[in-house]
Amino acid sequence: MHAAPLERDLTLRAPSLRVRHLHKCFTLGTGSAKHSVPALRGVDFDIEGAGFFAVMGASGSGKSTLLHLLAGLDRVDAGEIEVQGSRVDQMTESELTLYRRRDIGIVFQQFNLLSAMTALENVLLPSALDNAPQPAMRARAVGLLEGFGLGARMQHRPDALSGGEQQRVAIARAMLFSPPILFADEPTGSLDSEHGQRLAQLLRTLAHEQRALVLMVTHEASIAMHCEKVFVLRDGRLAGSFTTEGLDAGELALRAQELGRPAQ
Ligand SMILES: Nc1ncnc2c1ncn2[C@@H]1O[C@H](COP(=O)(O)OP(=O)(O)OP(=O)(O)O)[C@@H](O)[C@H]1O
Ligand SMILES: [Mg+2]
């Protein structure tokens, strides 16, 4: 799964994601106060092929936990995660490190850029960690930044960029190795609504033009509107999913709320 960058078979294959009986509990406290908090209690779903998909659900329903497990940032308690036919839940720590750096992209609500580095250096960071061939990577990073409308901002440090620009740099960094899959946890959460809309449009374009599978957690119906399908979590389980075709933002919000409403 970890062949040389830019020449990988992975990107030629349609992206796929398969999740089975996923369970995750967190243990809190110590001694007699020790107790476990179930975050995921058996999540199953499949996504076949490129596209832009949303995960919605109430606060605490398990959205971030799900994304962290899919991205190999945390270990499952039970269940299976298959990305492009590879079992992420069975990877060793060193396989996970490469998986995170090369095979997928990850974007968070906070942009996580290094403040002492320029936009271009931030985008190139994964290849610097990897000793990847620099000229090809540099050309790719420049191309990504230009494609995201940041051609004139490449030498700016993060504090000289707007929130929307910083998030686009973070997405360019996540796309450096052309991963077929991008995970994003509330990527528009720190942006105003105009920048949020633009970012969602960018992710949609990325999914369609680069044939990537983009899975994004969001609370906002107006952001999820850019996706073709919405998965709704409720109390650590998949409550259901629906396609967004023909729905306006109000209708989408209602569908998500109805599915995500905790049982009385
Ligand atoms: N590191 C942790 N330690 C203990 N409990 C945790 C931890 N991370 C998450 N939880 C618990 O697991 C449950 C799911 O949390 P998670 O962060 O996945 O929710 P979420 O759907 O992303 O919520 P939000 O919309 O507020 O971001 C919550 O009850 C939360 O308190
Ligand atoms: Mg969350």
Side-chain angles (χ1 to χ4, degrees):
M1 202 168 172
H2 310 290
L6 303 178
E7 297 160 12
R8 299 174 313 135
D9 290 346
L10 252 183
T11 53
L12 302 175
R13 286 168 46 188
S16 72
L17 185 58
R18 181 176 167 275
V19 174
R20 289 290 175 275
H21 318 308
L22 203 58
H23 286 260
K24 180 72 183 176
C25 254
F26 293 103
T27 305
L28 290 176
T30 49
S32 59
K34 200 165 163 176
H35 65 288
S36 64
V37 181
L40 295 179
R41 318 168 191 231
V43 174
D44 294 77
F45 68 94
D46 293 272
I47 302 180
E48 285 292 336
F52 191 18
F53 305 92
V55 179
M56 300 185 83
S59 181
S61 58
K63 305 180 296 296
S64 293
T65 305
L66 174 66
L67 231 68
H68 285 190
L69 295 179
L70 296 178
L73 293 164
D74 204 353
R75 290 286 190 179
V76 313
D77 287 345
E80 299 175 10
I81 298 172
E82 206 175 284
V83 173
Q84 308 292 88
S86 287
R87 286 282 296 274
V88 177
D89 57 286
Q90 293 179 339
M91 287 181 185
T92 63
E93 285 304 320
S94 56
E95 285 171 336
L96 279 177
T97 302
L98 281 176
Y99 167 74
R100 287 191 296 261
R101 199 181 300 157
R102 294 279 189 87
D103 297 332
I104 59 164
I106 314 173
V107 178
F108 297 100
Q109 179 172 348
Q110 298 308 326
F111 322 124
N112 297 333
L113 300 177
L114 296 185
S115 58
M117 289 185 165
T118 66
L120 182 60
E121 287 165 346
N122 266 286
V123 175
L124 279 167
L125 194 63
S127 74
L129 294 169
D130 232 23
N131 295 322
Q134 282 302 311
M137 279 296 149
R138 200 184 149 84
R140 166 135 182 97
V142 168
L144 279 165
L145 286 168
E146 284 173 346
F148 291 175
L150 294 169
R153 301 279 186 278
M154 284 191 264
Q155 300 307 327
H156 287 224
R157 296 220 164 84
D159 61 5
L161 295 169
S162 75
E165 288 169 344
Q166 288 183 53
Q167 192 60 304
R168 277 181 277 156
V169 173
I171 292 172
R173 181 177 59 190
M175 296 306 293
L176 185 66
F177 288 113
S178 312
I181 301 199
L182 182 71
F183 296 115
D185 193 355
E186 302 201 43
T188 63
S190 306
L191 304 179
D192 61 38
S193 69
E194 192 198 325
H195 280 106
Q197 287 298 320
R198 278 205 240 149
L199 195 89
Q201 276 159 11
L202 175 77
L203 290 173
R204 184 187 169 87
T205 307
L206 209 63
H208 291 160
E209 288 182 359
Q210 309 231 353
R211 310 290 309 144
L213 188 170
V214 181
L215 185 64
M216 170 186 69
V217 170
T218 183
H219 279 113
E220 297 169 72
S222 63
I223 295 294
M225 280 286 286
H226 295 272
C227 299
E228 43 241 58
K229 189 171 180 182
V230 177
F231 294 88
V232 181
L233 288 186
R234 181 179 64 213
D235 291 337
R237 293 195 179 91
L238 186 69
S241 62
F242 58 90
T243 56
T244 59
E245 204 180 332
L247 299 181
D248 65 29
E251 290 162 341
L252 190 155
L254 209 62
R255 292 285 303 267
Q257 267 164 27
E258 279 168 3
L259 280 172
R261 190 174 295 143
Q264 295 302 311

